[in-house]
Every structure is written in structure tokens, then in C-alpha cells.
Amino acid sequence: EAFETIDIWINNAGIGHPQQSAWEINEITTRKVIDVDLLGLVFGTQVAVKGMIEQGHGQVYNMEGFGSDGTVRPGMSVYGAAKRAVRYYTRTVIKETKDTAVQVGTLSPGIVITDFITDMYRDDPGGFEKSKKIFNILGDKVETVTPWLAHKVLKNKKTGSSFKWLTPGKAFS
């Protein structure tokens, strides 16, 4: 209301689940992850795109996560499936908005050390200890990743853009 238009909309809501096998994740947790990570993003995108088409401009970015590229890891079944669906959904919306003034893209922050990650290991301290080495090598702080992503978004002028913080080259180095 204060600014009258929305220029940039980022769907960043997401939750994980305990690092368990697919059949061990209870129904409530499964539904919650799908509701937040996929349906929340779908509904957010619908609202944003409709409003941006009406106002004649705007950018929508959907946050990808582990599994969006098809990578599979035990213990990440529901979260990874939701993020894989996010990529498909976003690619479809990119095609559907091609003849509009709305740009749609994705953001991929890589491993950002927040409560999101540590909460997934709440009931598995041993698993967290095993993963800590990878987090220490590949993980980054919010204060490092966020300005980089924001800069990329603000400079972007085309639809279908995908901004990835943790690239294979960066991970290798």
C-alpha cells in the first residue's frame, strides 16, 4: 500500500524435515513441507504475476533448494521432491509469461547456515556432526550470500534468469 506497486517478489518461504528415510517421515511433516515449499510458492507466484501483469511490470523469483536440479540424497526425499517441482513449475511460468512485462526466474543460494539447516538435524546430532564438515567447507552466512543475490536481482533485465551462489566451480575450489 505504501509504494503502490510491487517491483520484485521473492518466494523464499521454505521448511525442511528431519533427515529420515521417506517412509519414516510422518504424514503431518510431509504435508507441511509440500504445503509451504511448493503450494506456498505456487500461490505466491499466482498472486504476484496477476498483480504485475495488471501494473505492467515486475519480477518474480522462486527460491530453489537441494533437489531442484535432480540431485538425490537419502534423508531429503520430501524436501527434494518439492524443490524439484519448484523448478518445473518455475520453468513453466517463465514460458507462460513470455509475452508479458513480467520477468520470472530462480535464485539458488546454496548452503546457507541458518536454523533451517540445523533444525533438520534436531533429532539427529550424529548426522549433524557428520554433515558439519561439508557445511564448514561449502556453507556460507546469510550476510555473505544475500547482498550478492540482491545485486543480481536488481541488475537483471531478462526473464528466465537463474542466479546460483554455490556453483560447481565454486564448490570445487
Side-chain angles (χ1 to χ4, degrees):
E1 285 182 28
F3 298 104
E4 298 178 7
T5 64
I6 296 174
D7 301 314
I8 300 169
W9 179 289
I10 298 174
N11 286 307
N12 187 34
I15 60 170
H17 55 73
Q19 301 291 293
Q20 298 173 326
S21 296
W23 61 91
E24 297 173 316
I25 301 168
N26 67 51
E27 180 181 348
I28 292 169
T29 300
T30 298
R31 288 182 185 279
K32 193 172 180 182
V33 170
I34 298 297
D35 282 351
V36 172
D37 294 12
L38 181 57
L39 292 177
L41 179 137
V42 167
F43 297 143
T45 300
Q46 289 173 343
V47 167
V49 169
K50 284 178 189 174
M52 289 175 176
I53 288 172
E54 190 175 299
Q55 74 187 15
H57 72 278
Q59 297 174 308
V60 176
Y61 292 92
N62 289 330
M63 194 67 70
E64 292 190 332
F66 188 88
S68 60
D69 65 355
T71 302
V72 174
R73 179 172 167 245
M76 298 287 288
S77 59
V78 177
Y79 176 82
K83 290 302 183 177
R84 185 69 174 159
V86 163
R87 180 169 285 186
Y88 179 91
Y89 178 78
T90 304
R91 286 184 174 174
T92 304
V93 175
I94 289 167
K95 290 182 182 286
E96 293 171 347
T97 57
K98 71 179 170 101
D99 295 326
T100 73
V102 179
Q103 299 171 5
V104 179
T106 58
L107 302 176
S108 182
I111 300 171
V112 180
I113 307 304
T114 64
D115 292 346
F116 176 84
I117 287 183
T118 57
D119 284 352
M120 290 192 297
Y121 292 93
R122 189 175 331 136
D123 299 327
D124 184 15
F128 183 73
E129 284 302 314
K130 285 183 201 173
S131 298
K132 196 187 277 187
K133 183 176 182 180
I134 290 180
F135 296 155
N136 286 335
I137 294 169
L138 298 178
D140 283 293
K141 295 179 180 178
V142 171
E143 298 83 5
T144 303
V145 178
T146 304
W148 184 86
L149 288 174
H151 178 75
K152 292 292 191 182
V153 165
L154 292 171
K155 282 182 51 177
N156 186 38
K157 300 292 182 221
K158 65 179 193 155
T159 196
S161 296
S162 181
F163 301 114
K164 297 176 184 167
W165 171 256
L166 183 59
T167 62
K170 211 181 261 187
F172 183 73
S173 69

